[in-house]
Amino acid sequence: MKLYLRLILSGALLIALTFTFAACSGGTQVEPSPVAEVTEAPVVATEAPSEVAAPVLEIVGLNKSKSLTMEELKALPATEGYAGLKSSTGKITPPVIFKGVALKDLAEFIGGMDETTGFNVVAEDGYSITYSFDQLQNGSFIAYDPATGEELKNPVELTAILAYEADGKPFDAKQDGALRLAIISAELNQVTDGHWSVKWVNKLEVKSLGAEWALHLVGARTEDTDRVSVESCGAPQCHGSAWTDDKAQEWVGVPLWLFVGSVDDEIEHEGPAFNDALAEAGYSVDVIASDGYTVTFDAARLNRNDNILVAYKVNENPLPDEFFPLRLVGSDLEKKEMVGMIAEIHVGVEPLADVPAAASTEPAAATVSEADATLTVFGSVNQQLLLNEAALREMEVLKITAEHPKKGKEDYEGVSLNALLDLAGVKDGATTLVFIAADGYTSEVSLEEVRACTECLVGFTNTLEKFKMVMPNLPSSAWAKDVIKIEVK
């Protein structure tokens, strides 16, 4: 019986093992589902690359250049203050607060500058204006009362900045561009001449100031127009014009007829001054080079003709020596008429009744040759004075103690400014003196105020042949330094 039971259990065990092995290795097997072949890389979500900020400003130094984004510009030390404008018609734009970077800091950022260089500010449309070293370092600008428009008698500390916001907001891109110039002060107490506040600025460049020169104009009136005045007149938004020659060189200058119009009668600028009736009646115009070569035109040919230019630069540079400082160019000229090294323009009209037909050849003062002169008094005077320090020291030398607007009381030595004006002989109708510095900086002062100033001097300095204006009780802008010319207007 026991054997029988063992056989039954052994058989059951064998049957169970058989089914187990069948499940593992035998019988019907389920085929796995086919896997679809991947023919494309899977799409992986990534972040879009951030857009690279575009530069808003190019700064060009004498030896290097740099482009800055707005973020990079704002990373530089910021300067803020109040600025307002006085237009050429006298309209006042009240001061608001501006923020930006001081021009002197930007000049330092690109390698620095000195008295022999200027800082040229360029707008998107090509308009440009040059700030002097003195303006950047000392804020030598004329300021006006925002309420009356009158020039301030007490000095205000001014700083020229490249501004990127006003009243805490970015500028309107269409109205001002991303950047504009502002002349700021710490308090809301001044406005400056509007032409300094250039809009749409996109470039700053340190540039060497060219050699000084003047164009002598003779007509109903006689005047000398200096380099700064010609370049200012030649700005695109003033009277500037350009002509491209057959060698693809671009010449920039001022139409000849505008120079003629400035001396053809008593009106110097308005209108813009050209006397059409005189031109119709007929006269000749001589353009004379420094070597005496002369080209003559009929007034009718020049009458408001913008295709005959007095050019002062070519391809953005001063003229080469063979033409410097000025050359006649334009599409209405023959090649032989394109005279260079222009020194004088003579307009064949009668002198005004109160202007002598010929100046006396006898000097009224101990003048020197043009080559030796380091100070010139010219303009609306009977006698142009060419002087140097030795000639000035032959006059009565005065020593005074005067209150400088910024430096306080100091001792000064020089010659009387009024004595020089008396020697030159100021013409009736003159109202203004313009002090012109070696770096191109100019400062205007009322002739009436000067005549009332008994202690106003052309001051000597510690450097031979360098002069400064000593102007007691007048604004700091009148205390011009390194003066080389005094124009009477």
Side-chain angles (χ1 to χ4, degrees), residues 135-215:
Q135 288 173 321
L136 265 62
Q137 297 299 321
N138 303 313
S140 300
F141 300 91
I142 297 174
Y144 306 92
D145 188 317
T148 65
E150 296 295 322
E151 183 178 344
L152 294 177
K153 301 300 182 184
N154 297 318
V156 175
E157 186 174 343
L158 300 173
T159 303
I161 70 169
L162 182 64
Y164 44 73
E165 65 179 51
D167 279 339
K169 300 176 182 178
F171 297 116
D172 183 318
K174 293 184 179 180
Q175 179 175 336
D176 299 299
L179 304 169
R180 66 172 296 174
L181 261 291
I183 313 300
I184 65 168
S185 60
E187 298 180 13
L188 202 154
N189 59 358
Q190 59 82 28
V191 297
T192 53
D193 290 301
H195 65 264
W196 295 117
S197 298
V198 184
K199 300 179 180 181
W200 299 291
V201 175
N202 65 353
K203 184 177 182 180
L204 303 173
E205 54 186 354
V206 179
K207 56 183 287 188
S208 297
L209 298 175
E212 291 300 321
W213 49 263
L215 176 63

Side-chain angles (χ1 to χ4, degrees), residues 232-244:
S232 175
C233 185
Q237 295 183 0
C238 189
H239 298 303
S241 294
W243 172 71
T244 302

Side-chain angles (χ1 to χ4, degrees), residues 199-270:
K199 300 179 180 181
W200 299 291
V201 175
N202 65 353
K203 184 177 182 180
L204 303 173
E205 54 186 354
V206 179
K207 56 183 287 188
S208 297
L209 298 175
E212 291 300 321
W213 49 263
L215 176 63
H216 188 57
L217 303 174
V218 179
R221 300 183 304 105
T222 298
E223 69 175 43
D224 290 318
T225 303
D226 63 15
R227 174 184 62 83
V228 173
S229 299
V230 173
E231 291 181 358
S232 175
C233 185
Q237 295 183 0
C238 189
H239 298 303
S241 294
W243 172 71
T244 302
D245 63 20
D246 57 4
K247 296 180 181 178
Q249 298 184 109
E250 185 181 56
W251 301 76
V252 174
V254 180
L256 176 58
W257 68 270
L258 287 166
F259 288 106
V260 172
S262 69
V263 294
D264 63 354
D265 58 16
E266 70 278 5
I267 301 174
E268 180 179 355
H269 192 268
E270 292 82 2

